[in-house]
């Protein structure tokens, strides 16, 4: 007897395998059809979650999740997704019980690092069927960081698929959940307006989530409008991926510094804070000045009212009354908890596609 309900098996069969060892580092690896098929699979898994918990189709499979940076949702939702499908979840936290790791090539390791990523990745690849990694950028080295060097090092040496649990350039598991949520909120998201807006934050946060949110909206064919203050431009490659996906999916993409223009007639407003990687706002003091000067970019109910009215999304964690007003966050237009729950189903789809064939 099959361990998968018919609807899940059919949705799984529709997901293409992808090259590059099955790695999921940007989330773009499966291609547009693959991304959409993963979304369908996520919905099928959500519908049949109880049956899958009983049949445990990934029993005997192991996911190792290594978190160089903090996490609530990614860590927990991946754990829950593994549990739902019967896979084991092993959590690894560098800095808390793991050997200090070296990443440089051709190095003589007579400093503090006890283990090179080459061996660490190779060993984890012998223990686990998939390795997940969260590693944020080190500010000030954007040209190097945008290639997601920690993830690439593991991808080169683990011998098993690497799943990006948020890197410098992409947060693809969040992107799957975001795209699922666009579909949940709108039914057919194609040609529906998504406003993705920069929001104030005292810290210089990474750009990974906003990149993945743009790609998610573009992949489901939305008319995506990105708005941010001058000086907070995204990486040209991230914008290029959005343009390409939008063209392929039949939607559109444009950028404006005029937030009212972005919010007008929007059906979804997606807020995210990020730090500049170039220009005067890229330094800590420049960011502090920008944060003080740009507090009116906080998303408020009056902003959502400029839409149809719009629903509100944010990846969380979120600072209330800084990024978004508390009444929006707690009000009926907020979809942030549905969005967070969809982390489970998007990641379960990815796990099944990687391990369940
Ligand atoms: N949205 C998200 O990735 O949340 P965590 O940082 O808590 O994992």
């Amino acid at each position: 007897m099959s361990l998968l309900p018919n609807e899940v098996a059919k949705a799984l069969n529709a997901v293409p395998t992808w090259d590059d060892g099955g790695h999921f580092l940007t989330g773009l690896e499966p291609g547009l059809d693959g991304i959409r098929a993963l979304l369908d699979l996520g919905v099928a898994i959500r519908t049949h979650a109880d049956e899958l918990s009983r049949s445990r189709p990934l029993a005997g499979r192991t996911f190792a999740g290594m978190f160089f940076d903090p996490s609530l949702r990614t860590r927990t939702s991946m754990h829950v997704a593994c549990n739902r499908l019967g896979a084991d979840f092993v959590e690894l936290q560098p800095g808390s019980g793991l050997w200090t790791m070296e990443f440089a090539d051709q190095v003589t390791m007579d400093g503090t690092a006890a283990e090179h990523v080459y061996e660490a990745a190779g060993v984890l690849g012998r223990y686990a069927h998939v390795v997940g990694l969260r590693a944020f950028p080190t500010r000030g080295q954007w040209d190097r960081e945008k290639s997601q060097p920690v993830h690439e090092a593991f991808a080169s040496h683990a011998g098993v698929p690497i799943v990006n649990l948020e890197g410098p350039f992409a947060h693809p598991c969040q992107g799957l959940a975001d795209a699922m949520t666009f579909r949940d909120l709108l039914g057919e998201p194609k040609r529906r307006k998504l406003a993705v807006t920069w929001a104030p934050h005292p810290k210089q946060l990474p750009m990974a989530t906003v990149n993945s949110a743009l790609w998610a909206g573009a992949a489901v064919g939305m008319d995506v409008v990105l708005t941010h203050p001058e000086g907070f431009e995204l990486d040209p490659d991230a914008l290029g991926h959005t343009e390409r996906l939008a063209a392929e999916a039949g939607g559109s993409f444009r950028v404006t510094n005029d937030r009212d223009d972005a919010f007008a007639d929007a059906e979804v407003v997606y807020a995210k804070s990020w730090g500049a990687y170039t220009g005067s706002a890229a330094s800590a003091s420049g960011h502090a000045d920008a944060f003080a000067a740009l507090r009116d970019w906080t998303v408020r109910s009056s902003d959502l009212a400029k839409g149809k009215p719009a629903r509100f999304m944010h990846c969380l964690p979120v600072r209330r009354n800084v990024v978004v007003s508390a009444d929006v966050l707690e009000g009926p237009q907020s979809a942030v908890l549905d969005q967070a729950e969809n982390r489970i189903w998007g990641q379960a789809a990815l796990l099944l596609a990687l391990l369940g064939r």
Side-chain angles (χ1 to χ4, degrees), residues 302-320:
S302 54
D303 295 318
L304 300 190
K306 293 166 192 158
K308 286 209 160 178
R311 301 296 302 271
F312 177 77
M313 289 174 58
H314 186 283
C315 64
L316 306 181
V318 69
R319 296 199 180 210
R320 22 166 56 70

Side-chain angles (χ1 to χ4, degrees), residues 70-74 134 166 171 174 315-317 343:
S71 166
L72 187 154
R73 278 140 291 273
T74 307
R134 166 166 288 202
E166 190 173 346
H171 191 356
Q174 182 68 53
C315 64
L316 306 181
R343 295 294 306 273

Side-chain angles (χ1 to χ4, degrees), residues 24-41:
F24 196 67
L25 301 182
T26 61
L28 304 172
E29 294 88 346
L32 185 59
D33 290 342
I35 293 168
R36 288 169 159 176
L38 282 171
L39 302 178
D40 293 339
L41 179 57

Side-chain angles (χ1 to χ4, degrees), residues 14-15 29 37 39 83 153-154 167 172 176 186 191 235 264-265 290 307-308 334-335:
V15 180
E29 294 88 346
L39 302 178
N83 279 346
F154 272 86
L176 285 177
L186 301 172
R191 304 314 314 248
D235 185 272
D265 295 326
K308 286 209 160 178
S334 173

Side-chain angles (χ1 to χ4, degrees), residues 227-316:
T227 185
H228 58 73
E230 284 184 30
F232 287 86
E233 288 72 24
L234 296 181
D235 185 272
D237 287 342
L239 302 179
H241 288 314
T242 316
E243 275 165 12
R244 180 180 54 74
L245 283 169
E248 215 179 320
S252 64
F253 176 55
R254 66 185 175 88
V255 186
T256 176
N257 298 133
D258 180 350
R259 64 199 297 276
D260 285 346
D261 171 31
F263 292 147
D265 295 326
E267 297 199 58
V268 178
V269 167
Y270 191 120
K272 184 69 188 85
S273 314
W274 66 89
Y277 71 95
T278 184
S280 58
S283 68
S285 60
H287 184 83
D289 291 346
F291 174 57
L294 295 167
R295 293 294 289 267
D296 56 351
W297 279 72
T298 300
V299 175
R300 304 184 183 285
S301 55
S302 54
D303 295 318
L304 300 190
K306 293 166 192 158
K308 286 209 160 178
R311 301 296 302 271
F312 177 77
M313 289 174 58
H314 186 283
C315 64
L316 306 181

Side-chain angles (χ1 to χ4, degrees), residues 3 41 54 58 62 66-67 71-72 78 107 133 159 162 177 203 212 260 270 296 319 357:
L3 295 174
L41 179 57
R54 288 192 292 273
L58 297 186
T62 300
M66 185 176 276
F67 289 86
S71 166
L72 187 154
M78 191 56 97
V107 67
L133 282 177
I162 302 298
K203 290 188 172 175
S212 291
D260 285 346
Y270 191 120
D296 56 351
R319 296 199 180 210
R357 299 187 192 267

